[in-house]
Amino acid sequence: MKKLSLIIALILVSMLNSQSYIGYLSDNYSGIHGVISNPANITDSRFRTDINLVGVSAFVGNDFFSVDFNKLLKGSDDIEITAGATPKDKNNLYTNIDVLGPSFMFNLNEKSSLALFTRGRVFTGIFGINGKLYENFDEGFEDNTDFIINNSDFNFSGNAWAELGVTYARELMNKGDHYLKGGLSVKYLKGFGNVYARFDNISVDFDDDGTAVNNGSITSTGTIAYGTSSEEEFSNFKSLSGASGIGADIGAVYEWRPDYSGDPITDKDLNKYKLKLGVSITDLGSIKYKNGIERAYDINNTVTEVDFDAIEDFEDKLSGLYTELSSGSTTKAILPTAAHLDADYNFKKYLYLNLSSTFSLLSTNKVNASTVRNRVSLIPRFESKWFSFYM
């Protein structure tokens, strides 16, 4: 099983996060990609048929590490040189990689559409961690400076999975200036790896006696509970037996069409609305890892710095230096359930202004739950069939 300390470091350093394809999903020519934010998007689409081979999106979010891009542009490849850390009482770091694989959509008729899609996703996040505590655990208390951290609560999670989904969307109303459509996606989920931990009431008092390196003591209190998908390494990204689940997305789109009175079939490439409003809820569901394990430890103890640093793996530190409270099996990873609100205004033919927002429906304190970061984006764009530009 992957070392928990290395997983935390991976989350802190890799820094890839939380919303997918920002800007592109508001485009009326996003085609099959539109199902990601709102399954209703595919009906009355600009395309009769759309096929995707592969699309990749990554997003960064953290308040711990910063990068000097000037040094990076000058060719420095040393992250320790180009990056700086800003430890706080509660630091947050999160990542997301989203890959839309072979997928396609097509119109069943003028009022309904169908889509089939494949998707791979990786979510990781650390929420509320004391930055100074992380630095000292990661570096092995190398700076030999006394410090005290009291009552820190934080958690982290990492989840990788694949999706095979089907989307059905259809027209619900078409009366005069008013048009309404709705859609539903149902997804089969296959887990590739899951790890999480919850740290409650963590206090750490590091006392260095100042006479020699590795000659201090570490007094700690609190509890640590963690779970993993299996004894296999999380980094292998192999499909795990007994790791599956069901997910769903649901959404609706309203369009105000004061200037349109044409034929929706022959006018496929024409914009019909002055104002478009969308609402959706995505990623309802979870993945159950039948071969997973869960353990909890009481870390009320005083250990020497020598003993602490002598054990490399974080899980081995827990089992070797602290008291196990419980041990069980199975873990359930909760999908990053979120609400999306979208308003798109057409100024003139090719010019649009989009206001989009994403809000997590899960608390960052929820154990073993992937969460998106709340976001509001104002996106002006130039849109045409062959070229679009957003900012």
Side-chain angles (χ1 to χ4, degrees), residues 54-79:
V54 64
V56 180
S57 175
F59 193 91
V60 175
N62 90 100
D63 58 6
F64 187 85
F65 281 113
S66 59
V67 177
D68 187 334
F69 282 99
N70 288 328
K71 292 182 179 180
L72 288 177
L73 292 174
K74 290 178 181 178
S76 174
D77 58 0
D78 189 343
I79 190 65

Side-chain angles (χ1 to χ4, degrees), residues 153-156 196-200 223-226 364-365 367:
D153 295 332
F154 61 96
N155 66 298
F156 78 88
Y196 66 93
R198 175 67 188 173
F199 298 75
D200 292 309
T223 59
I224 298 176
Y226 74 88
T364 55
N365 294 324
V367 175

Side-chain angles (χ1 to χ4, degrees), residues 97-131:
I97 302 174
D98 193 336
V99 179
L100 187 67
S103 309
F104 67 94
M105 57 150 284
F106 59 92
N107 293 332
L108 295 173
N109 51 54
E110 65 178 276
K111 293 187 177 182
S112 61
S113 299
L114 188 70
L116 296 173
F117 62 91
T118 61
R119 195 177 177 193
R121 303 170 71 184
V122 179
F123 264 78
T124 59
I126 299 180
F127 304 103
I129 189 172
N130 185 291

Side-chain angles (χ1 to χ4, degrees), residues 183-368:
L184 173 68
S185 294
V186 178
K187 305 179 287 188
Y188 172 74
L189 313 171
K190 189 62 179 176
F192 281 78
N194 174 235
V195 61
Y196 66 93
R198 175 67 188 173
F199 298 75
D200 292 309
N201 299 315
I202 302 297
S203 296
V204 178
D205 183 349
F206 175 62
D207 180 22
D208 177 67
D209 66 8
T211 60
V213 177
N214 291 332
N215 204 24
S217 64
I218 305 167
T219 301
S220 60
T221 63
T223 59
I224 298 176
Y226 74 88
T228 61
S229 53
S230 76
E231 295 293 346
E232 301 176 38
E233 289 192 356
F234 181 74
S235 60
N236 284 343
F237 288 103
K238 296 179 179 178
S239 179
L240 301 179
S241 60
S244 61
I246 299 295
D249 307 331
I250 187 170
V253 173
Y254 164 79
E255 295 182 4
W256 179 47
R257 301 175 169 183
D259 302 321
Y260 177 74
S261 59
D263 181 359
I265 296 180
T266 58
D267 295 341
K268 203 72 177 172
D269 294 336
L270 298 181
N271 175 62
K272 306 176 184 66
Y273 65 85
K274 190 68 176 178
L275 176 66
K276 179 171 70 172
L277 302 174
V279 59
S280 63
I281 297 177
T282 58
D283 291 320
L284 296 161
S286 61
I287 301 172
K288 186 174 183 179
Y289 288 88
K290 293 182 179 180
N291 299 320
I293 59 171
E294 296 178 316
R295 293 192 178 100
Y297 287 88
D298 181 339
I299 64 167
N300 289 272
N301 198 6
T302 298
V303 300
T304 67
E305 187 182 359
V306 173
D307 290 340
F308 188 88
D309 288 341
I311 304 175
E312 181 180 355
D313 188 272
F314 190 72
E315 292 172 281
D316 291 338
K317 291 180 192 288
L318 291 176
S319 61
L321 302 175
Y322 304 104
T323 303
E324 184 176 292
L325 297 176
S326 63
S327 178
S329 60
T330 77
T331 63
K332 184 172 71 171
I334 302 172
L335 298 186
T337 310
H340 308 269
L341 302 174
D342 184 85
D344 199 49
Y345 186 77
N346 176 226
F347 280 99
K348 183 180 180 181
K349 198 171 183 179
Y350 301 118
L351 301 179
Y352 296 80
L353 182 65
N354 181 266
L355 178 65
S356 64
S357 59
T358 295
F359 301 100
S360 176
L361 298 182
L362 301 174
S363 168
T364 55
N365 294 324
K366 191 170 184 63
V367 175
N368 200 19

